[in-house]
């Protein structure tokens, strides 16, 4: 039993109920009932980590230790909660410690949640993947559990206002067949990308079958489906510009510090 984690799950379920979120979850049978697993998640919004743990919880109430940026742990409010849930802080300037902690969790039979895309996809397509999930799987012997979320970007995503009131949005979560850690990190990463892309397209098609056509021009719908989101290439260019701007500001701060 983990009282804090169980309480957080209860609060989240209450919030989803109040918001009127309608879930369609598939592939729970692909989540191992015991033993380790790297839960690989696509990243379309700020609430993804709260949703990606649902299939594991439905599989014998298993819990996921998510890797999250260090700033979340530094916050006076969220930090104590994140540590109580035994999540893993990630310092992007020095990621070796977080990687080591994740591998140790896996070797202890835990689930570890990771975002192979590293950052939110503004296009709501699957971006290029980092190889961390594959390397963790190879080092620990744990399978990778591809988990795809669709629809949650409507609630809260990058560059758009969050909508935490009652809205009745539909959220789909699909789990694909586990990927065993066989081959090189590059081969596994490529396979993972293909599997998660296929699962995303499958969920997007099911969404239309269940709820009707996508509204044309809406921000949360990919350009490929007639929506107003940027294309993957446009989104990548926006990410590069943002990173360049952040790097320039860091350089300015460093220069100002040297001048003192």
């Amino acid at each position: 039993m983990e009282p804090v984690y169980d309480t957080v799950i209860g609060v989240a379920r209450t919030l989803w109920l109040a918001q009127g979120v309608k879930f369609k979850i598939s592939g729970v049978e692909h989540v191992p009932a015991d033993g380790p697993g790297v839960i690989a998640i696509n990243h379309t919004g700020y609430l993804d980590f709260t949703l990606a743990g649902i299939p594991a919880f439905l599989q014998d109430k298993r819990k996921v230790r998510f890797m999250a940026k260090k700033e979340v742990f530094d916050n006076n409010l969220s930090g104590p909660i994140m540590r109580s849930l035994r999540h893993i802080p990630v310092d992007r300037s020095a990621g070796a410690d977080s990687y080591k902690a994740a591998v140790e969790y896996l070797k202890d039979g835990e689930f570890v949640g990771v975002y192979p895309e590293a950052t939110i996809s503004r296009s709501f397509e699957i971006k290029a993947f980092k190889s961390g999930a594959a390397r963790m799987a190879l080092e620990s012997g744990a399978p990778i559990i591809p988990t795809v979320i669709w629809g949650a970007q409507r609630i809260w995503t990058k560059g758009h206002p969050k909508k935490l009131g009652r809205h009745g949005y539909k959220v789909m979560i699909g789990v694909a067949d586990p990927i065993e850690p066989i081959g090189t990190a590059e081969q596994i990463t490529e396979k993972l990308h293909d599997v998660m892309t296929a699962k995303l397209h499958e969920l997007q098609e099911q969404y239309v079958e269940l709820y009707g056509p996508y509204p044309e021009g809406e921000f949360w719908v990919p350009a490929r489906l007639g929506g107003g989101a940027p294309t993957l290439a446009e989104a990548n260019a926006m990410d590069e510009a943002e990173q360049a701007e952040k790097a320039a500001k860091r350089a300015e701060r460093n220069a100002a510090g040297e001048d003192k």
Side-chain angles (χ1 to χ4, degrees), residues 229-251:
T231 66
L232 184 57
E234 291 169 343
N236 287 339
M238 293 168 68
D239 289 340
E240 290 172 4
E242 182 179 72
Q243 291 303 314
E245 182 180 354
K246 287 181 179 179
K249 288 181 178 179
R250 284 195 298 270

Side-chain angles (χ1 to χ4, degrees), residues 159-177:
H160 298 278
K162 57 180 176 288
K163 298 180 180 179
L164 301 180
R166 188 166 183 84
H167 44 63
Y169 292 155
K170 288 82 174 176
V171 174
M172 306 183 78
I173 306 173
V175 183
D177 288 322

Side-chain angles (χ1 to χ4, degrees), residues 18 33 50-51 120:
T50 67
L51 302 168
I120 288 176

